[in-house]
Amino acid sequence: MVRLRWLIFIASIFSVLIAQSAQAEVGLEEISDGQAAGKQEPKKELHSVARKSLINKVQPVTKMQQLSEVERPRTNAQMLVQSPASSEVIQVTGVQANPTDNGVEMILQTTQGEQLQITNNSAENNFIADIPNAQLRLPSGDGFTFRSQNPIEGITEITVTNLDTNTIRVTVAGEAGLPTVELFDSNEGLIFGFTPAATAIQPEIEQPTSEIPQEEPSAQGDEPIELVVTGQQDNYRVPDATSATRSNTPLRDIPQSIQVVPQQVIRDQQATRLNEVLQNVPGVVQGGASPRTYANVFNIRGFNSFAQTLVNGLPDPTVGNVGFGSNIERVEVLKGPASVLYGQGGLAGKVNLVTKRPLLEPFYEIEASAGSFNFYRGAIDLSGPLNPEKTVLYRLNVSAQTTESLTDFYEQQRYLIAPVLSWQISDRSKLTLEADYSRAEGPYDFGIPAQGSVLPNPNGKIPRNRNVSEPNIDNSQNQVFRAGFDFEHLFSDNWQMRSVFRASFLQLNREIVFPTSLANDQRTLSRGYGPQDYKENIYNLDTYTVGNFTTGSIEHQLVVGLNLFRHDTDTAGSNRSIAPLDVFNPVYGAVPTGASIPFYDVKDRIQQLGFYVQDQITLTEQLKLLLGGRFDIANKNYRDATGNFGSATGDFKQEEAFSPRIGIVYQLIQPISIYASYSSSFNQATDPFSPAESEPERGKQYEIGVKADLTDRLSATLAFYDLTRSNLPTADPDNPLQTIQVGEQRSRGIEFDISGQILPGWNIIAGYALTDAEITKDNNFPVGNQLNNVPRNAINLWTTYELQSGNLQGFGFGLGVFYFGERQGDLANTFVLPGYTRTDAAIFYKRDNFRAALNIRNLFDIDYFVSAQSRARVFPGDPFTVVGTVSWQF
């Protein structure tokens, strides 16, 4: 009955949207945040031909004029002369596209516009210009692409992107022919004036005189102008990433698998939890925790990667405890060992959360959502300049959310406030100050026992919504405050320095009743009671220099850095007895009994000093080499006052480790690259609940793959890897109370991902992962056992289509299919989680600055289980749910 009411509601919304669309004329496209975005794609592919040169300048003006207001000689793009050469790399910090009476003007915002070199590579109807001494640095999430679709009749698209690390490419697709192009300078930068071919070739016809003046044609004629200003990237393909090399590097030049989930995917899926975002990345699956809690636990390539999370390139384990905020612009997943740049940890990969950055132009957005299980969420996003010179910018994200879930008596609240301030001190120095406060409140979801869910139980089937805790007791409060700075300085055109610092402070207070084991009658669940106070302070400073130079004909991009990291943990917990629970006939209201017994009282400090060097070497245009190495001095000082988990007087260990990385990329043809790499990592001990082992845990990976730009809007990666995790503690056969570090686990697999636009309006992000993760050496578990929560086969597919014209322009729909094969529930391989296929769907409507969407998860309401922590804790997936969202930008 509930599902029927939802379907009726969806149908009514669908009818309203169609009715509104049919009555409205095609108007302005959506103006969105972040990088420039359009809604329609070019009608033909752009191809490069022999180079032609161009430039035409006028004197700088104090106030930006419209193209039609400036008198200047008309020069065809095919007749423009080459600009003077310059070796300086110019930073272009913004791009705008504005319609004019005769066409459209595009502004490359920079203080050094007169120094830009421009070479013409136009072909057919497409004007293509390369600027080889410039780099695009848009303010939204370190964006690297500006896109404006259908800015004026006769021009289908304007694109500005980084062709490589030192070259900007401007592409303008004409509909009927090559647009006429004019250039001139202003105090805001370099301006391109584009006139469509159909307009440019029309002869001037003398109009008959009349005593009655004719009205000038209105901009709101039969073919209204579609205006797109600086906004977010409306594309599923992201060509560049920073997490793999600490520099803005095209993905096809990185000899390692890395996938980016952009803001548009997050928005289209209405993802509010990190695990919802990571479902789009093959090889990443939910780990041993409930997907409904605020904790982020996931496996990468078969290995648990809890707390292996970065925020803007700095390791920050607190993200694993307090969710995923509305201030996240995109998520980058670097697969494989990552110690070269980030120090210890990350044996299987890193997840980098890139936050939203201040914008040059005023931007305001409000968003509201409501859905199943009393889900309510509101968010605001504000940005713009604080002074007329636009050297001081701000951004503020605020959100609040409350929800219940399929688990009885479960209610959670989450809050976020995230201000950012950037100051362009000079044309060579920039300072960004960033802070955020996150808070999550609610019970901890412990799932249900395996017997009665994925295993048979003579008493029947345990309801998926059963709460095995105590509703009046179980509650957690997590809060994190982060603050830091990001300082960038250009020493010269080819050398720059960056210093980034962040301090993170986590405080967790919880009182929980947790399940331990099911009795022989298979209905009585033993439980424990344990309050906990947990504090975590993290300090991270990373300073590095990036330099570009040549040795003969060989180009180098050198990164040299120093990293200081400290992680302090102070936590205490105790145990008391509490009555068991009949999971088939629960009676709640039990209270703890007996004396409180201290269980642990831990003070743990991890410190790390790292030096790293990396060189990206361009041997030829087709052949690139990546060499890197890092030397770390890491120590751990651990003390447990109770003596239960370590020495009461303290345990100190210090290790020195060298982590190399080498990779090679060969470009077979321009859109296809093959690569091979070797990388390693180490982990002395990042677990605050255990002392350091005598030897650091090691990870080594070999990877080969193919990366292809199938079109200029669609990319794919195919990777083969062999990853080994060694020096794992296991039982000493001569003394079962001791451990020895001879354990080993190995993961081998194949991963394929594809993302981008197939056709105008048709987006896709999809992937497949074959993962064979097993125990290869161990004294506790049989060799050959499969690692838990790792499906052998997994498929993810999400695709959307948006109508590009007609009365229903802006209306679209999305479909998602997510398949996960069966998984082992524990390392002993005593039970199996069955495989499942979940289907998601969405319908949405965009018009002007307004967007409305309905997202449906688990469309067919299947019963499935996402992961397990033990035989007593198996976590069901969410049932059929609907979330409706409306947003307005102004």
Side-chain angles (χ1 to χ4, degrees), residues 92 129-132 134-136 160-163 166-170:
V92 175
D130 290 341
I131 307 175
Q135 186 180 61
L136 191 62
V160 185
T161 188
N162 283 327
L163 184 63
N166 294 318
T167 306
I168 291 176
R169 168 162 288 185
V170 177

Side-chain angles (χ1 to χ4, degrees), residues 7 18 137 225 230 279 285 309 348 394 418 443 558 577 607 618:
L7 293 175
I18 292 179
R137 295 291 299 275
I225 296 172
T230 303
Q279 70 182 354
V285 297
T309 312
Y394 82 96
L558 185 67
S577 299
Q607 298 183 107
T618 303

